[in-house]
Amino acid sequence: MAGPAIVEQERREAAERMGLDPDDPDVALKMEQLAEEKPAQSERGSRAARPRPTGKANRLAVFALFCAFVVPVLGIVFGLVALDEIDDSDDTERGRGMAQWAIGIGGVAVGISIAVAVWVIVSLS
C-alpha cells in the first residue's frame, strides 16, 4: 500500500505535468476540471482516440476496393477520394479501412504491373 508521502509526490508530479502549481490549495479541483475538459488519450500514444463511426459505409470506399482488383489505378484514386469524404463526414461514415486497403492493394498491383512490364521489355531486347 502506498504511503501518504508517495501519494503526495504523485499528486505534485501530476499537477506539474498539467501545468498547475502543486502548492495551490485548489489544485485538486483544477486537476479534475482539466481532466474533464481534455479528450481521452489513446493507449498507443498522444493521439486522441477516435470515436467509432456509426453511419453507413462510404460507397466510394466499397467501389474503390472492388476497383483495386480490377483496375488498380482507379482503386487508388477512388480510395483517396473516399478517405477525403470520410474525413469530411466527421467520422459519421465508415469505410476508412476499405479505402486504405484499396489504396494499398492498388499500389501493389501497379508496382507488380510495372515490374512485369520492365522484365518483359528487358527480356525481349
Side-chain angles (χ1 to χ4, degrees), residues 35-75:
E36 290 174 0
E37 291 174 7
K38 291 187 177 180
Q41 296 291 318
S42 171
E43 291 178 7
R44 282 193 252 169
S46 62
R47 238 177 35 168
R50 290 185 153 202
R52 186 176 176 111
T54 57
K56 293 183 178 180
N58 183 294
R59 291 182 181 183
L60 196 55
V62 176
F63 187 63
L65 189 58
F66 169 76
C67 284
F69 291 101
V70 181
V71 185
V73 174
L74 287 179

Short mmCIF file of all heavy atoms in Angstrom, two decimals, residues 35-75:
data_model
loop_
_atom_site.label_atom_id
_atom_site.label_comp_id
_atom_site.label_asym_id
_atom_site.label_seq_id
_atom_site.Cartn_x
_atom_site.Cartn_y
_atom_site.Cartn_z
N ALA A 35 -9.06 17.52 -16.34
CA ALA A 35 -9.23 16.14 -16.80
C ALA A 35 -10.54 15.98 -17.55
O ALA A 35 -10.63 15.22 -18.51
CB ALA A 35 -9.17 15.19 -15.61
N GLU A 36 -11.59 16.69 -17.13
CA GLU A 36 -12.88 16.60 -17.81
C GLU A 36 -12.84 17.31 -19.15
O GLU A 36 -13.51 16.90 -20.09
CB GLU A 36 -13.97 17.20 -16.93
CG GLU A 36 -14.29 16.36 -15.71
CD GLU A 36 -15.28 17.05 -14.77
OE1 GLU A 36 -15.70 18.19 -15.07
OE2 GLU A 36 -15.60 16.44 -13.75
N GLU A 37 -12.07 18.40 -19.25
CA GLU A 37 -12.01 19.18 -20.49
C GLU A 37 -11.19 18.50 -21.56
O GLU A 37 -11.50 18.58 -22.74
CB GLU A 37 -11.42 20.56 -20.21
CG GLU A 37 -12.31 21.46 -19.38
CD GLU A 37 -11.62 22.76 -19.02
OE1 GLU A 37 -10.51 23.03 -19.51
OE2 GLU A 37 -12.20 23.50 -18.21
N LYS A 38 -10.11 17.83 -21.18
CA LYS A 38 -9.20 17.23 -22.16
C LYS A 38 -9.79 15.92 -22.69
O LYS A 38 -10.37 15.15 -21.96
CB LYS A 38 -7.83 16.96 -21.54
CG LYS A 38 -7.08 18.23 -21.24
CD LYS A 38 -5.68 17.92 -20.79
CE LYS A 38 -4.93 19.21 -20.57
NZ LYS A 38 -3.57 18.96 -20.15
N PRO A 39 -9.61 15.67 -24.01
CA PRO A 39 -10.08 14.39 -24.57
C PRO A 39 -9.26 13.23 -24.05
O PRO A 39 -8.11 13.40 -23.65
CB PRO A 39 -9.90 14.57 -26.08
CG PRO A 39 -8.85 15.61 -26.20
CD PRO A 39 -8.99 16.51 -25.00
N ALA A 40 -9.85 12.07 -24.09
CA ALA A 40 -9.16 10.86 -23.64
C ALA A 40 -7.97 10.58 -24.55
O ALA A 40 -8.03 10.77 -25.75
CB ALA A 40 -10.11 9.68 -23.65
N GLN A 41 -6.89 10.11 -23.99
CA GLN A 41 -5.69 9.80 -24.75
C GLN A 41 -5.72 8.33 -25.16
O GLN A 41 -6.15 7.47 -24.43
CB GLN A 41 -4.44 10.07 -23.90
CG GLN A 41 -4.26 11.52 -23.54
CD GLN A 41 -3.91 12.38 -24.75
OE1 GLN A 41 -3.12 11.97 -25.58
NE2 GLN A 41 -4.53 13.52 -24.84
N SER A 42 -5.22 8.08 -26.34
CA SER A 42 -5.12 6.72 -26.84
C SER A 42 -4.05 5.98 -26.06
O SER A 42 -3.09 6.57 -25.58
CB SER A 42 -4.77 6.75 -28.33
OG SER A 42 -4.47 5.48 -28.79
N GLU A 43 -4.18 4.67 -25.95
CA GLU A 43 -3.17 3.88 -25.24
C GLU A 43 -1.88 3.80 -26.04
O GLU A 43 -0.83 3.54 -25.50
CB GLU A 43 -3.71 2.47 -24.99
CG GLU A 43 -4.83 2.45 -23.98
CD GLU A 43 -5.37 1.05 -23.77
OE1 GLU A 43 -4.78 0.10 -24.32
OE2 GLU A 43 -6.38 0.91 -23.10
N ARG A 44 -1.95 4.02 -27.36
CA ARG A 44 -0.77 3.90 -28.19
C ARG A 44 0.12 5.13 -28.16
O ARG A 44 1.26 5.07 -28.52
CB ARG A 44 -1.17 3.64 -29.63
CG ARG A 44 -1.59 2.22 -29.85
CD ARG A 44 -1.65 1.96 -31.31
NE ARG A 44 -3.05 1.84 -31.67
CZ ARG A 44 -3.50 1.81 -32.88
NH1 ARG A 44 -2.68 1.93 -33.88
NH2 ARG A 44 -4.77 1.67 -33.13
N GLY A 45 -0.40 6.27 -27.78
CA GLY A 45 0.43 7.48 -27.80
C GLY A 45 -0.38 8.70 -27.47
O GLY A 45 -1.38 8.64 -26.78
N SER A 46 0.06 9.82 -27.99
CA SER A 46 -0.56 11.08 -27.64
C SER A 46 -1.75 11.41 -28.53
O SER A 46 -2.41 12.41 -28.31
CB SER A 46 0.47 12.20 -27.72
OG SER A 46 0.95 12.32 -29.03
N ARG A 47 -1.99 10.63 -29.55
CA ARG A 47 -3.13 10.90 -30.42
C ARG A 47 -4.43 10.63 -29.68
O ARG A 47 -4.57 9.63 -29.00
CB ARG A 47 -3.06 9.96 -31.63
CG ARG A 47 -3.02 10.68 -32.92
CD ARG A 47 -2.88 9.76 -34.06
NE ARG A 47 -3.56 8.49 -33.91
CZ ARG A 47 -3.74 7.63 -34.88
NH1 ARG A 47 -3.29 7.89 -36.05
NH2 ARG A 47 -4.35 6.50 -34.67
N ALA A 48 -5.39 11.52 -29.82
CA ALA A 48 -6.68 11.31 -29.17
C ALA A 48 -7.39 10.14 -29.86
O ALA A 48 -7.33 9.97 -31.07
CB ALA A 48 -7.52 12.57 -29.27
N ALA A 49 -8.06 9.33 -29.08
CA ALA A 49 -8.78 8.18 -29.62
C ALA A 49 -9.95 8.66 -30.46
O ALA A 49 -10.65 9.59 -30.09
CB ALA A 49 -9.27 7.29 -28.49
N ARG A 50 -10.13 8.05 -31.62
CA ARG A 50 -11.23 8.44 -32.50
C ARG A 50 -12.50 7.72 -32.08
O ARG A 50 -12.47 6.54 -31.76
CB ARG A 50 -10.92 8.06 -33.94
CG ARG A 50 -9.85 8.86 -34.54
CD ARG A 50 -9.69 8.51 -35.98
NE ARG A 50 -9.16 9.68 -36.62
CZ ARG A 50 -9.25 9.92 -37.89
NH1 ARG A 50 -9.84 9.08 -38.66
NH2 ARG A 50 -8.74 11.00 -38.41
N PRO A 51 -13.63 8.42 -32.15
CA PRO A 51 -14.88 7.72 -31.88
C PRO A 51 -15.19 6.76 -33.03
O PRO A 51 -14.84 7.03 -34.17
CB PRO A 51 -15.92 8.85 -31.82
CG PRO A 51 -15.31 9.97 -32.59
CD PRO A 51 -13.82 9.83 -32.44
N ARG A 52 -15.82 5.67 -32.71
CA ARG A 52 -16.16 4.69 -33.74
C ARG A 52 -17.31 5.22 -34.57
O ARG A 52 -18.34 5.62 -34.04
CB ARG A 52 -16.54 3.37 -33.09
CG ARG A 52 -16.75 2.30 -34.11
CD ARG A 52 -17.02 0.97 -33.45
NE ARG A 52 -17.30 0.00 -34.48
CZ ARG A 52 -16.50 -0.99 -34.78
NH1 ARG A 52 -15.41 -1.15 -34.11
NH2 ARG A 52 -16.81 -1.84 -35.73
N PRO A 53 -17.16 5.24 -35.91
CA PRO A 53 -18.24 5.75 -36.77
C PRO A 53 -19.48 4.89 -36.64
O PRO A 53 -19.40 3.67 -36.47
CB PRO A 53 -17.66 5.65 -38.18
CG PRO A 53 -16.20 5.49 -38.00
CD PRO A 53 -15.98 4.88 -36.67
N THR A 54 -20.64 5.52 -36.71
CA THR A 54 -21.89 4.80 -36.54
C THR A 54 -22.72 4.74 -37.81
O THR A 54 -23.71 4.03 -37.85
CB THR A 54 -22.73 5.46 -35.43
OG1 THR A 54 -22.95 6.83 -35.78
CG2 THR A 54 -22.02 5.37 -34.10
N GLY A 55 -22.35 5.50 -38.83
CA GLY A 55 -23.16 5.56 -40.05
C GLY A 55 -22.91 4.40 -40.99
O GLY A 55 -22.27 3.40 -40.66
N LYS A 56 -23.40 4.57 -42.20
CA LYS A 56 -23.22 3.55 -43.22
C LYS A 56 -21.83 3.65 -43.83
O LYS A 56 -21.16 4.66 -43.73
CB LYS A 56 -24.26 3.75 -44.33
CG LYS A 56 -25.67 3.49 -43.87
CD LYS A 56 -26.63 3.63 -45.02
CE LYS A 56 -28.04 3.31 -44.57
NZ LYS A 56 -29.00 3.43 -45.66
N ALA A 57 -21.43 2.57 -44.47
CA ALA A 57 -20.12 2.54 -45.13
C ALA A 57 -20.14 3.47 -46.33
O ALA A 57 -21.13 3.57 -47.06
CB ALA A 57 -19.79 1.12 -45.57
N ASN A 58 -19.04 4.15 -46.55
CA ASN A 58 -18.90 5.03 -47.70
C ASN A 58 -18.92 4.17 -48.96
O ASN A 58 -18.13 3.24 -49.11
CB ASN A 58 -17.58 5.80 -47.57
CG ASN A 58 -17.38 6.78 -48.68
OD1 ASN A 58 -17.24 6.41 -49.84
ND2 ASN A 58 -17.36 8.06 -48.33
N ARG A 59 -19.83 4.48 -49.87
CA ARG A 59 -19.98 3.66 -51.08
C ARG A 59 -18.76 3.72 -51.97
O ARG A 59 -18.42 2.75 -52.64
CB ARG A 59 -21.22 4.11 -51.86
CG ARG A 59 -22.50 3.78 -51.15
CD ARG A 59 -23.69 4.18 -51.95
NE ARG A 59 -24.91 3.86 -51.22
CZ ARG A 59 -26.11 4.05 -51.69
NH1 ARG A 59 -26.28 4.57 -52.88
NH2 ARG A 59 -27.16 3.73 -50.98
N LEU A 60 -18.11 4.89 -51.99
CA LEU A 60 -16.92 5.02 -52.83
C LEU A 60 -15.78 4.15 -52.30
O LEU A 60 -14.98 3.62 -53.07
CB LEU A 60 -16.50 6.49 -52.89
CG LEU A 60 -15.53 6.87 -54.00
CD1 LEU A 60 -16.08 6.45 -55.36
CD2 LEU A 60 -15.26 8.35 -53.98
N ALA A 61 -15.72 3.96 -50.98
CA ALA A 61 -14.70 3.08 -50.41
C ALA A 61 -14.93 1.64 -50.85
O ALA A 61 -13.98 0.91 -51.16
CB ALA A 61 -14.70 3.19 -48.89
N VAL A 62 -16.19 1.21 -50.87
CA VAL A 62 -16.52 -0.14 -51.32
C VAL A 62 -16.15 -0.31 -52.79
O VAL A 62 -15.53 -1.30 -53.20
CB VAL A 62 -18.01 -0.45 -51.09
CG1 VAL A 62 -18.39 -1.81 -51.64
CG2 VAL A 62 -18.36 -0.34 -49.61
N PHE A 63 -16.51 0.70 -53.60
CA PHE A 63 -16.21 0.65 -55.02
C PHE A 63 -14.70 0.68 -55.26
O PHE A 63 -14.20 0.00 -56.16
CB PHE A 63 -16.91 1.82 -55.74
CG PHE A 63 -16.80 1.77 -57.23
CD1 PHE A 63 -17.37 0.73 -57.95
CD2 PHE A 63 -16.13 2.76 -57.92
CE1 PHE A 63 -17.26 0.67 -59.33
CE2 PHE A 63 -16.01 2.71 -59.29
CZ PHE A 63 -16.59 1.67 -60.00
N ALA A 64 -13.98 1.45 -54.44
CA ALA A 64 -12.52 1.52 -54.58
C ALA A 64 -11.88 0.17 -54.31
O ALA A 64 -10.95 -0.23 -55.02
CB ALA A 64 -11.97 2.58 -53.62
N LEU A 65 -12.39 -0.54 -53.31
CA LEU A 65 -11.83 -1.86 -53.01
C LEU A 65 -12.08 -2.82 -54.16
O LEU A 65 -11.22 -3.62 -54.53
CB LEU A 65 -12.43 -2.39 -51.71
CG LEU A 65 -11.80 -3.66 -51.14
CD1 LEU A 65 -10.32 -3.46 -50.89
CD2 LEU A 65 -12.49 -4.06 -49.86
N PHE A 66 -13.25 -2.75 -54.77
CA PHE A 66 -13.55 -3.58 -55.94
C PHE A 66 -12.61 -3.22 -57.10
O PHE A 66 -12.02 -4.10 -57.73
CB PHE A 66 -15.01 -3.39 -56.36
CG PHE A 66 -15.35 -4.00 -57.68
CD1 PHE A 66 -15.50 -5.38 -57.81
CD2 PHE A 66 -15.49 -3.21 -58.81
CE1 PHE A 66 -15.79 -5.95 -59.04
CE2 PHE A 66 -15.79 -3.77 -60.04
CZ PHE A 66 -15.94 -5.14 -60.15
N CYS A 67 -12.46 -1.91 -57.35
CA CYS A 67 -11.62 -1.47 -58.46
C CYS A 67 -10.15 -1.81 -58.25
O CYS A 67 -9.42 -2.00 -59.22
CB CYS A 67 -11.75 0.05 -58.65
SG CYS A 67 -13.28 0.53 -59.45
N ALA A 68 -9.71 -1.90 -57.01
CA ALA A 68 -8.31 -2.22 -56.74
C ALA A 68 -7.91 -3.56 -57.34
O ALA A 68 -6.77 -3.75 -57.73
CB ALA A 68 -8.06 -2.21 -55.23
N PHE A 69 -8.87 -4.48 -57.45
CA PHE A 69 -8.59 -5.79 -58.03
C PHE A 69 -8.78 -5.80 -59.54
O PHE A 69 -8.14 -6.58 -60.24
CB PHE A 69 -9.49 -6.86 -57.41
CG PHE A 69 -9.17 -7.12 -55.97
CD1 PHE A 69 -9.94 -6.57 -54.96
CD2 PHE A 69 -8.09 -7.92 -55.63
CE1 PHE A 69 -9.65 -6.81 -53.63
CE2 PHE A 69 -7.78 -8.17 -54.30
CZ PHE A 69 -8.56 -7.61 -53.30
N VAL A 70 -9.66 -4.95 -60.06
CA VAL A 70 -9.98 -4.96 -61.49
C VAL A 70 -9.11 -3.95 -62.25
O VAL A 70 -8.47 -4.29 -63.24
CB VAL A 70 -11.48 -4.66 -61.70
CG1 VAL A 70 -11.85 -4.68 -63.17
CG2 VAL A 70 -12.33 -5.67 -60.94
N VAL A 71 -9.15 -2.68 -61.82
CA VAL A 71 -8.36 -1.61 -62.43
C VAL A 71 -7.64 -0.90 -61.28
O VAL A 71 -8.19 0.04 -60.69
CB VAL A 71 -9.26 -0.61 -63.22
CG1 VAL A 71 -8.41 0.43 -63.93
CG2 VAL A 71 -10.15 -1.34 -64.19
N PRO A 72 -6.44 -1.34 -60.94
CA PRO A 72 -5.76 -0.86 -59.73
C PRO A 72 -5.59 0.66 -59.63
O PRO A 72 -5.70 1.22 -58.55
CB PRO A 72 -4.40 -1.54 -59.78
CG PRO A 72 -4.60 -2.73 -60.63
CD PRO A 72 -5.65 -2.37 -61.62
N VAL A 73 -5.35 1.32 -60.75
CA VAL A 73 -5.16 2.78 -60.71
C VAL A 73 -6.45 3.46 -60.24
O VAL A 73 -6.41 4.39 -59.43
CB VAL A 73 -4.72 3.32 -62.09
CG1 VAL A 73 -4.65 4.83 -62.09
CG2 VAL A 73 -3.37 2.73 -62.48
N LEU A 74 -7.58 2.98 -60.71
CA LEU A 74 -8.86 3.55 -60.26
C LEU A 74 -9.10 3.24 -58.78
O LEU A 74 -9.68 4.05 -58.06
CB LEU A 74 -10.02 3.00 -61.09
CG LEU A 74 -10.13 3.53 -62.52
CD1 LEU A 74 -11.31 2.88 -63.23
CD2 LEU A 74 -10.26 5.03 -62.53
N GLY A 75 -8.65 2.08 -58.33
CA GLY A 75 -8.76 1.75 -56.91
C GLY A 75 -8.00 2.73 -56.04
O GLY A 75 -8.48 3.14 -54.98
#
